[in-house]
Amino acid sequence: MRVNRLIASTAALGLAVAVLYSLRFFAPDFGSSPQPLASHRAFKNHTDETMNSFADNAEDAEISFIQPPEDLVFTPSLSKRPPKQRAIITALFRATDTHIPRPNDADWFFMNVYFHAFMFKHDSAVKLKPEDNTEFVVMVTNMVPQSYRNALMDFGARILEVPIVEIKGREKPGDKYQYLYTKLNLYRLEGIFKAVLFIDVDMNFFAKSPVHLFRYFHPTHSNEGNNSLLMPSLHHFEKLMVLAQDPSASKYGDQGLLNVYFGDNGPRPWLELPSAWNANHLEARTAFEVANGLGFHGKLWSECKLLGAPSAEKLWPLWQSRIVDLRRTQIARLEAQEAGPRAVTLVPAVPKNCSMWMDALVARAAVDMFLEVAFVSNDATHADLVASHRKCAAANAQASHFLLPVQTSGSGSNSIIVQQLRRVDSLFERYDIVWVLENVRMVDQPLLPLHLQIAEMKKGVTQITTFRDCANGTLTGSFAIHRDGGAPKLRKFLDEFGNKFDKMSDRDVWETLLKEFTKIGGKKSLLVLDPWDGWYQMHNETSCSTYLTSEVYGERA
């Protein structure tokens, strides 16, 4: 929708007072205890007492709201789930759907939006409580896929789709900052939320919820930086849109525009909030500043090597551990089938070591970090070996683990290999790679994360990976099948040979399966790897007598 149509659609809706705060980073005041800032140049139609009463007693106030303009679409709708009085809002204007060829900035931004949604719902220090009367809202455009929206709503976020706002003459096609003026839609939320705290996607809160910033709500203005506290106002939205036509006011995007409109020397001066809530330039922060910081501005998912030593020592472990908590929550939902097929958008399995993570980002493993992986053990395997499989899967929440109850005396259609293949087939509804493990002991602390190794298992058009597990190098005790390409071949195999399994030995089943994967020039679809000393060890009592030929039809790695 064009900007002039946006203005026309709001012109008749009246005026309201806007209150906007932002976090500016000047001289640090990390050591001081935050106190409510004194109001100056307050508007005559609001008093400090009114604002303080709102900030202190928001949870007791009656909920009332007006219906939003048609081009502001809330999901869930406001009638289905009435709004809280206050909202913490962030923005995600574009993104790529899941299972992408390679992540880009937009996709990493989604990951941290998702991280915010998780923290506001589950983290004991940050989560929003009923008495806060505050909800988390993600402002999106029509460029954000439904799968991402569903994932955010799974954690309780409300989605707000808004029209794109581009200032005539200020368009920057292809620039990742092209759509920043779209954030001005925040001012159109008058009558819906009494107060809004806008946070940048790359803000991070670990020790305390930013809901505490609402205590600084007073009837003055401010803007600049990465967090803004405001009262929505259609009046100011329209004024900002007019001012944006001035190239000198809008040359630095929406933040530059707001700095001009709410300038220190103008009629609508802004106020600073305590800088402890906006610790940026993390490479330059001292240990004291980091220890006393409450909000940290930085792309921790891609800049951990750029952090100064104090920031790296504290912030990277905080972010990594909570990303693992988030992934563990997702893995549990996948295992319990609490969501529909492919409905859970997994964040990466992030290792504890920053350098290892950064190495993954520059390699093709960056994509593999998003894959859903399942280990399958069978209950005929020694209990301590199964325990090692389970522990390895749980490390950094890198995989799910399933125990298959097999009929050890079964044969034909009930043989162990057929039972395993059917289990793999059933898991492809939820997982990208299913790895069947036999009598191998997984290493407690592998040298490399699983998803870095998966990069080796996905070379070329690989659809099935086996391992030279035994001394003679031609037998495998474990194998992995890849959903992409491998799932339809496995399904076709089970359908075509299902009534013939009773007449086939395990070895016949296995060799027939490999032929199906490698026939008609598909030899490279099978990859045979040497045992991964860094990942698992063969059980000492394993004789390999029950293992299966892996090398005949495959490519040597």
Side-chain angles (χ1 to χ4, degrees):
M1 180 173 290
R2 301 303 300 171
V3 170
N4 59 345
R5 292 178 62 189
L6 280 173
I7 294 175
S9 69
T10 60
L13 294 181
L15 306 180
V17 175
V19 179
L20 175 64
Y21 284 92
S22 180
L23 302 176
R24 299 179 72 174
F25 191 88
F26 296 116
D29 63 354
F30 289 92
S32 61
S33 176
Q35 297 295 324
L37 299 177
S39 173
H40 66 287
R41 301 190 186 181
F43 291 110
K44 294 180 180 179
N45 58 338
H46 284 74
T47 65
D48 287 348
E49 289 77 12
T50 301
M51 291 296 101
N52 285 324
S53 175
F54 165 72
D56 294 338
N57 302 297
E59 68 274 13
D60 299 324
E62 181 181 354
I63 297 175
S64 61
F65 62 92
I66 66 170
Q67 288 300 319
E70 291 183 358
D71 59 352
L72 298 183
V73 181
F74 286 92
T75 308
S77 68
L78 301 183
S79 58
K80 183 175 181 179
R81 193 177 86 189
K84 303 289 188 179
Q85 283 206 338
R86 308 185 292 201
I88 297 175
I89 300 181
T90 193
L92 182 70
F93 295 145
R94 61 188 178 93
T96 306
D97 210 340
T98 51
H99 304 291
I100 49 182
R102 190 171 185 84
N104 57 33
D105 275 348
D107 305 297
W108 296 118
F109 288 153
F110 164 75
M111 187 177 74
N112 228 48
V113 171
Y114 198 34
F115 179 71
H116 283 311
F118 170 77
M119 294 288 282
F120 287 136
K121 185 175 178 64
H122 288 287
D123 188 82
S124 59
V126 176
K127 69 180 179 181
L128 299 176
K129 302 176 178 64
E131 59 267 26
D132 294 329
N133 205 348
T134 302
E135 62 178 292
F136 179 54
V137 178
V138 182
M139 182 192 299
V140 303
T141 69
N142 59 7
M143 294 182 290
V144 175
Q146 188 62 45
S147 63
Y148 282 8
R149 303 181 193 207
N150 292 344
L152 291 166
M153 288 188 291
D154 280 345
F155 281 136
R158 194 194 299 269
I159 303 300
L160 167 59
E161 182 173 328
V162 299
I164 294 171
V165 175
E166 291 185 287
I167 307 302
K168 186 176 181 181
R170 314 306 303 169
E171 302 95 335
K172 297 179 180 180
D175 191 299
K176 66 180 179 179
Y177 300 113
Q178 178 181 2
Y179 306 110
L180 289 184
Y181 291 103
T182 303
K183 289 191 290 186
L184 296 178
N185 280 296
L186 290 168
Y187 290 91
R188 303 177 63 209
L189 300 177
E190 178 188 342
I192 299 171
F193 298 114
K194 289 191 174 182
V196 167
L197 174 66
F198 180 83
I199 61 175
D200 273 3
V201 171
D202 50 358
M203 283 300 301
N204 300 275
F205 306 96
F206 300 110
K208 198 171 185 179
S209 171
V211 75
H212 292 281
L213 285 170
F214 285 106
R215 66 187 286 202
Y216 298 100
F217 195 85
H218 285 278
T220 43
H221 304 266
S222 67
N223 189 73
E224 196 273 332
N226 313 297
N227 305 308
S228 302
L229 182 60
L230 63 95
M231 180 187 289
S233 164
L234 293 167
H235 168 70
H236 290 296
F237 172 76
E238 295 171 14
K239 295 290 187 181
L240 285 164
M241 296 304 295
V242 173
L243 181 62
Q245 305 306 315
D246 179 355
S248 65
S250 59
K251 63 181 179 180
Y252 295 115
D254 66 302
Q255 290 189 2
L257 176 66
L258 292 169
N259 281 342
V260 174
Y261 188 76
F262 296 107
D264 291 334
N265 299 321
R268 298 169 294 268
W270 64 322
L271 296 176
E272 288 184 42
L273 291 175
S275 55
W277 285 97
N278 184 35
N280 53 16
H281 300 294
L282 298 179
E283 73 284 355
R285 296 301 108 222
T286 66
F288 178 80
E289 290 169 340
V290 172
N292 289 278
L294 296 172
F296 300 93
H297 182 221
K299 298 175 179 61
L300 299 181
W301 64 85
S302 63
E303 297 177 351
C304 64
K305 276 190 174 181
L306 304 179
L307 300 176
S311 297
E313 290 174 5
K314 177 179 179 180
L315 300 184
W316 171 254
L318 286 173
W319 183 81
Q320 186 271 344
S321 64
R322 283 161 176 78
I323 281 289
V324 169
D325 289 342
L326 168 52
R327 185 175 170 97
R328 186 170 289 115
T329 299
Q330 296 172 309
I331 289 290
R333 293 191 62 208
L334 276 174
E335 293 173 351
Q337 293 183 282
E338 291 180 358
R342 321 297 297 172
V344 178
T345 304
L346 287 180
V347 298
V350 181
K352 292 182 178 180
N353 183 282
C354 162
S355 296
M356 189 179 294
W357 168 243
M358 296 306 296
D359 290 344
L361 293 186
V362 300
R364 64 173 175 270
V367 175
D368 301 322
M369 287 284 179
F370 288 90
L371 297 177
E372 295 106 330
V373 181
F375 292 169
V376 177
S377 309
N378 71 69
D379 62 1
T381 302
H382 198 282
D384 68 331
L385 301 183
V386 173
S388 76
H389 303 168
R390 185 179 297 109
K391 185 174 182 179
C392 183
N396 296 327
Q398 58 190 354
S400 292
H401 178 264
F402 295 93
L403 184 63
L404 176 65
V406 299
Q407 302 178 35
T408 55
S409 60
S411 60
S413 59
N414 288 321
S415 66
I416 291 179
I417 181 62
V418 172
Q419 293 177 66
Q420 290 172 330
L421 292 175
R422 285 176 173 157
R423 185 58 169 146
V424 172
D425 179 58
S426 70
L427 289 173
F428 276 143
E429 185 180 57
R430 290 174 280 157
Y431 293 90
D432 297 293
I433 294 178
V434 183
W435 191 350
V436 176
L437 298 166
E438 284 281 354
N439 292 316
V440 296
R441 183 183 302 279
M442 304 300 285
V443 177
D444 288 348
Q445 295 294 329
L447 297 177
L448 293 176
L450 170 66
H451 289 75
L452 280 176
Q453 296 287 16
I454 285 177
E456 293 299 309
M457 292 167 57
K458 290 184 62 190
K459 289 180 177 178
V461 294
T462 301
Q463 295 165 352
I464 182 169
T465 304
T466 68
F467 304 88
R468 284 190 289 268
D469 290 325
C470 295
N472 62 14
T474 63
L475 301 178
T476 184
S478 57
F479 62 92
I481 300 182
H482 308 243
R483 187 177 66 92
D484 289 343
K489 284 188 177 180
L490 177 59
R491 164 72 2 229
K492 181 176 180 295
F493 171 76
L494 293 174
D495 289 343
E496 184 174 343
F497 292 91
N499 60 357
K500 302 176 184 177
F501 289 147
D502 285 337
K503 300 178 181 179
M504 300 169 68
S505 66
D506 274 11
R507 195 171 303 278
D508 291 335
V509 172
W510 179 249
E511 294 198 4
T512 303
L513 175 69
L514 296 189
K515 288 179 182 178
E516 289 298 308
F517 267 83
T518 58
K519 69 181 181 182
I520 315 178
K523 189 176 182 181
K524 290 185 179 179
S525 67
L526 172 63
L527 180 67
V528 183
L529 295 176
D530 286 317
W532 287 358
D533 293 334
W535 263 90
Y536 66 73
Q537 302 166 346
M538 298 304 299
H539 189 43
N540 292 335
E541 298 176 5
T542 299
S543 67
C544 299
S545 60
T546 61
Y547 280 20
L548 305 164
T549 302
S550 66
E551 190 176 25
V552 176
Y553 303 101
E555 293 287 331
R556 298 184 69 92

